[in-house]
Amino acid sequence: MNKFIVADAANCIGCHACEVVCVTSHHQDAWPQQRSHFLPRIHVFFHRNVSSATTCHHCNDAPCVASCPTQALQFANDSVQFKETLCIGCKNCVIACPFGAIEMVANDDDAPQLAQKCDLCSQHASGQPACVASCPTQALRLMDETSINQLRRERQVRSATGQPVAAVRGERRQAILDKPPRVGAKKVAADNRKQHFDEIYRPLAECDAEYESERCLYCAQKAWCNWTCPLHNAIPDFIRLVKEGNIIEAAELCHQSSSLPEICGRVCPQDRLCEGACTLKNEGGSVAIGNLERYITDTALAMGWRPTISEMTPRKERVAVIGAGPAGLGCADILARAGVHVDVYDRHPEIGGLLTFGIPPFKLDKHLLAVRREIFSGMGIHFHLNQEVGRDLAFNDLVENYDAVFLGVGTYGLMAAGLEGEDAPGVIQALPFLIASTREVMGLEVSAEYPLTEIKGKRVVVLGGGDTAMDCLRTAVRRGAASVTCAYRRDEMSMPGSKKEVINAREEGVNFEFNVQPQRIQRNRKGQVSAVGMIRTKMGEPGPDGRRRPQPVAGSEFELQADVLIMAFGFQPHDTPWLRGYGIKRDRWGNIATGGKGRGTTQTGHEKIFAGGDVVTGADLVVTAMVAGRQAATEMLTLFRQQEGL
């Protein structure tokens, strides 16, 4: 008989460890380079509170083998094996499989769709199915004739001696999930925190960090939380190090995959990433991964630890990085560690980009960026601040004088609502409002480009439902607004912003108006904004992207009183005229296009120019921008080594 894998649903905890290890075992035990390459050959399915895994059954006299016209599917080594080189993508096997265990997948956008199925890890060095070896509850088991006969004998003996035929169902599952509830970081009381711009989350005490680290199941070394983290941080391992009290070692581990772990621990939307993927999410609450990441780096830095560059040989290449935001800093970090001379240029007076000027201090203490600047400078990175390309220096000089240039300029373009009266006094954009507020809190000189709007005692309305809108709302509260209202055109469940930020805003006194859409801006006799004309909406059918579209409700018009109206609809690429003439293409949204045949994923149409972060993807997360910067650095180093071989 053929070998096959069977799943014990009673002991499956839904950790996805089998899916992760299946993918990595088919990628030389490493993470796939692109998210589209995450194509497991085993799948975890959920139904209510029960989960189980399923994969190819390697049937005897398998219909997939009989249906294949090219013999891409064959019986070998007591299993059904697949030869991709013989597959023509006819889908006969997909139709023939009675279990739906064969899928059609494409490894790249331009590649044809070919069949894929479990091969029992026949090509892996271990020779053993990785999913079986990685399952934390042994819910997966490799079955063959010997193991089936052994199982039969065990049950016969149990039956003959009057014992239960099987052990207590789900015993291993219950044992591993028996963890205390999440506590996480404590918040400053809302009435108190509204009075200042300090961070609202208190750092974990040592006992709290130990408590949270004890909760981690350590599902696998490469776990589902690792995969959903764009940086693939070694989350289970650094949590285990906290549990053991090895904080310095944990900090070193964090810095292997992240250039800004103390930042990500604070501002990453963990509820949508690593913590949202935690196996304990619905079993007492996710492990407080973000809090632990912050605890590790904060504690290590307070102890005097600094990330060290291991022995490296200085290289001859010089790279110019434009933009000191997360993308630029991630790029500079990797290059400096490889011995490359790096100059970072930024138009702001401090590093960080929107980390410093776009994220309010109550979410991210700006002192952290000052410490990080000191660390990066100590690594040999040279910062040239208050230097704007096209104003203070010519882009052409950078291209000519450096071996490569990285564009990490972000997206500072403002998105208008297209409403009549949008230019009225009192109508302001989110980003200038946040930048001006942060500069004032930091004690920087007043900027004509970002004037501070006085909102004390005024009625403030913010249009939008993302994280930027939440930042504006909570900043307005701290600046003494008489009332602060968020107006969003969809329902609360459809809000793109972090759920915990909505909770924080509510606690601080923000009012929310859902399912309302702006129609016009009302002005008073002096021409200033006085109200926003609204109409109520209802959620329609989902669009092509899966999101339900709001539809106006006839006769539901009303006015929302406002002295200050903040437009928080997101960001778009800003004009960079100095890039013209270098063969750099843009997509239909105005973002810089990278990649293509013969080019790195972050390489533009110009061989020496790379780009990453929001300027390529559109406004996105801090962590995804950092990933792009680090990837660009890796691709630059590959290019340099290729040039050395010429």
Side-chain angles (χ1 to χ4, degrees):
M1 64 170 290
N2 285 333
K3 294 179 286 188
F4 62 97
I5 292 170
V6 64
D8 175 9
N11 282 306
C12 177
I13 58 174
C15 65
H16 296 277
C18 55
E19 293 182 340
V20 174
V21 76
C22 176
V23 171
T24 55
S25 69
H26 288 87
H27 283 84
Q28 293 73 53
D29 293 322
W31 296 110
Q33 290 297 308
Q34 300 179 38
R35 301 198 74 80
S36 59
H37 292 174
F38 190 86
L39 301 167
R41 302 161 191 231
I42 186 170
H43 295 282
V44 178
F45 291 93
F46 293 84
H47 180 65
R48 296 178 183 162
N49 295 324
V50 179
S51 60
S52 187
T54 185
T55 188
C56 174
H57 290 66
H58 295 273
C59 312
N60 295 326
D61 300 322
C64 61
V65 175
S67 70
C68 180
T70 64
Q71 294 186 316
L73 289 162
Q74 300 176 2
F75 291 106
N77 299 322
D78 297 325
S79 60
V80 178
Q81 293 294 315
F82 171 68
K83 292 186 177 180
E84 185 178 293
T85 55
L86 298 178
C87 181
I88 59 175
C90 66
K91 301 183 183 178
N92 282 7
C93 56
V94 176
I95 296 171
C97 178
F99 303 106
I102 301 178
E103 299 174 286
M104 301 299 294
V105 301
N107 290 324
D108 291 294
D109 292 339
D110 299 329
Q113 285 202 328
L114 302 175
Q116 176 180 274
K117 62 176 286 299
C118 169
D119 60 358
L120 295 176
C121 294
S122 60
Q123 303 301 315
H124 194 264
S126 69
Q128 300 295 321
C131 59
V132 174
S134 70
C135 181
T137 61
Q138 294 96 50
L140 295 174
R141 185 172 178 180
L142 178 65
M143 303 297 290
D144 56 16
E145 189 166 0
T146 300
S147 58
I148 286 179
N149 287 333
Q150 180 182 352
L151 182 62
R152 182 186 299 116
R153 286 193 297 271
E154 288 175 357
R155 290 183 173 178
Q156 287 173 340
V157 170
R158 285 177 174 274
S159 179
T161 57
Q163 300 177 44
V165 175
V168 178
R169 283 182 56 80
E171 184 177 23
R172 295 190 300 277
R173 180 183 190 277
Q174 293 171 10
I176 197 170
L177 293 179
D178 184 20
K179 295 289 183 179
R182 172 187 172 118
V183 175
K186 299 176 178 64
K187 288 188 287 189
V188 176
D191 287 343
N192 184 357
R193 68 183 191 242
K194 290 191 301 182
Q195 311 303 319
H196 56 73
F197 281 88
D198 296 340
E199 287 188 353
I200 76 165
Y201 287 98
R202 301 185 189 279
L204 292 180
E206 183 178 353
C207 60
D208 298 325
E210 182 180 347
Y211 175 91
E212 282 296 333
S213 65
E214 289 276 1
R215 298 183 64 242
C216 179
L217 304 180
Y218 201 89
C219 304
Q221 186 174 45
K222 284 186 170 68
W224 194 235
C225 56
N226 299 71
W227 171 246
T228 53
C229 169
L231 285 164
H232 305 318
N233 287 330
I235 294 169
D237 283 331
F238 75 58
I239 292 178
R240 174 172 283 185
L241 289 169
V242 172
K243 179 180 176 181
E244 296 170 352
N246 296 323
I247 302 303
I248 299 300
E249 192 176 342
E252 292 283 1
L253 183 60
C254 288
H255 279 79
Q256 288 180 18
S257 56
S258 176
S259 302
L260 303 164
E262 74 279 19
I263 307 296
C264 291
R266 288 166 163 86
V267 303
C268 263
Q270 291 96 2
D271 54 339
R272 305 202 310 259
L273 298 172
C274 56
E275 291 183 14
C278 180
T279 306
L280 288 176
K281 180 180 178 180
N282 298 318
E283 302 285 343
S286 304
V287 174
I289 299 170
N291 297 156
L292 287 170
E293 185 178 27
R294 170 186 173 180
Y295 169 80
I296 289 167
T297 311
D298 286 359
T299 304
L301 291 174
M303 293 167 65
W305 170 86
R306 292 293 184 270
T308 55
I309 299 181
S310 56
E311 289 187 16
M312 58 86 177
T313 304
R315 297 184 61 89
K316 64 180 180 179
E317 293 88 5
R318 301 171 70 247
V319 173
V321 173
I322 304 176
L329 295 176
C331 181
D333 181 23
I334 298 300
L335 290 172
R337 291 175 183 274
V340 175
H341 176 97
V342 186
D343 287 306
V344 180
Y345 298 89
D346 196 277
R347 65 195 184 99
H348 290 296
E350 296 292 342
I351 73 166
L354 292 183
L355 285 176
T356 298
F357 298 101
I359 296 178
F362 52 79
K363 288 173 64 176
L364 180 62
D365 183 351
K366 305 311 171 185
H367 174 69
L368 296 168
L369 277 304
V371 173
R372 187 51 65 172
R373 177 181 172 181
E374 171 200 323
I375 291 171
F376 284 142
S377 296
M379 292 169 56
I381 298 172
H382 306 272
F383 291 102
H384 307 270
L385 304 177
N386 285 316
Q387 295 290 304
E388 184 171 353
V389 177
R391 183 192 68 187
D392 303 301
L393 66 159
F395 183 65
N396 185 61
D397 291 343
L398 300 180
V399 176
E400 288 186 356
N401 296 329
Y402 289 88
D403 297 283
V405 176
F406 177 72
L407 304 174
V409 296
T411 52
Y412 285 79
L414 307 178
M415 297 183 69
L419 300 174
E420 184 179 350
E422 202 164 339
D423 58 346
V427 180
I428 58 177
Q429 284 280 348
L431 188 55
F433 171 67
L434 292 172
I435 292 176
S437 175
T438 298
R439 287 178 66 98
E440 196 265 348
V441 173
M442 292 177 66
L444 299 175
E445 63 182 37
V446 177
S447 168
E449 186 178 2
Y450 303 111
L452 183 63
T453 301
E454 179 57 60
I455 61 174
K456 187 173 183 178
K458 295 182 179 180
R459 299 166 296 181
V460 176
V461 173
V462 178
L463 301 181
D467 285 338
T468 300
M470 298 304 113
D471 292 345
C472 292
L473 293 161
R474 300 178 63 203
T475 296
V477 168
R478 285 160 175 77
R479 292 210 163 270
S483 66
V484 182
T485 302
C486 175
Y488 182 57
R489 63 189 184 129
R490 290 184 169 93
D491 57 20
E492 185 170 1
M493 291 298 296
S494 303
M495 293 184 80
S498 171
K499 305 308 177 191
K500 70 178 182 181
E501 287 303 300
V502 177
I503 293 171
N504 290 336
R506 270 209 178 93
E507 290 175 348
E508 293 166 8
V510 172
N511 304 308
F512 283 86
E513 285 279 356
F514 294 108
N515 295 112
V516 295
Q517 190 163 314
Q519 301 291 292
R520 69 186 187 284
I521 295 174
Q522 187 73 30
R523 308 189 199 201
N524 60 22
R525 287 182 297 177
K526 295 181 179 180
Q528 299 170 325
V529 62
S530 60
V532 189
M534 295 283 191
I535 188 169
R536 299 202 179 275
T537 63
K538 61 180 181 180
M539 300 306 293
E541 294 300 316
D545 59 356
R547 296 189 73 191
R548 298 172 67 192
R549 295 292 187 268
Q551 298 176 345
V553 177
S556 64
E557 295 85 353
F558 70 102
E559 285 190 350
L560 198 56
Q561 302 301 308
D563 303 308
V564 176
L565 178 63
I566 302 176
M567 317 295 264
F569 294 125
F571 313 118
Q572 59 187 352
H574 54 283
D575 190 25
T576 48
W578 39 270
L579 277 178
R580 296 182 189 126
Y582 289 91
I584 296 175
K585 297 180 180 179
R586 295 182 181 267
D587 62 21
R588 62 192 178 112
W589 296 283
N591 302 313
I592 291 177
T594 60
K597 287 189 176 180
R599 298 206 173 267
T601 58
T602 62
Q603 196 172 23
T604 69
H606 191 292
E607 185 183 38
K608 290 176 67 173
I609 303 174
F610 295 73
D614 291 359
V615 74
V616 172
T617 61
D620 204 349
L621 304 176
V622 169
V623 65
T624 53
M626 195 195 315
V627 169
R630 292 168 66 94
Q631 178 64 24
T634 301
E635 292 176 0
M636 286 180 194
L637 293 169
T638 299
L639 177 64
F640 297 157
R641 295 185 187 107
Q642 291 172 346
Q643 291 171 343
E644 284 178 339
L646 295 178

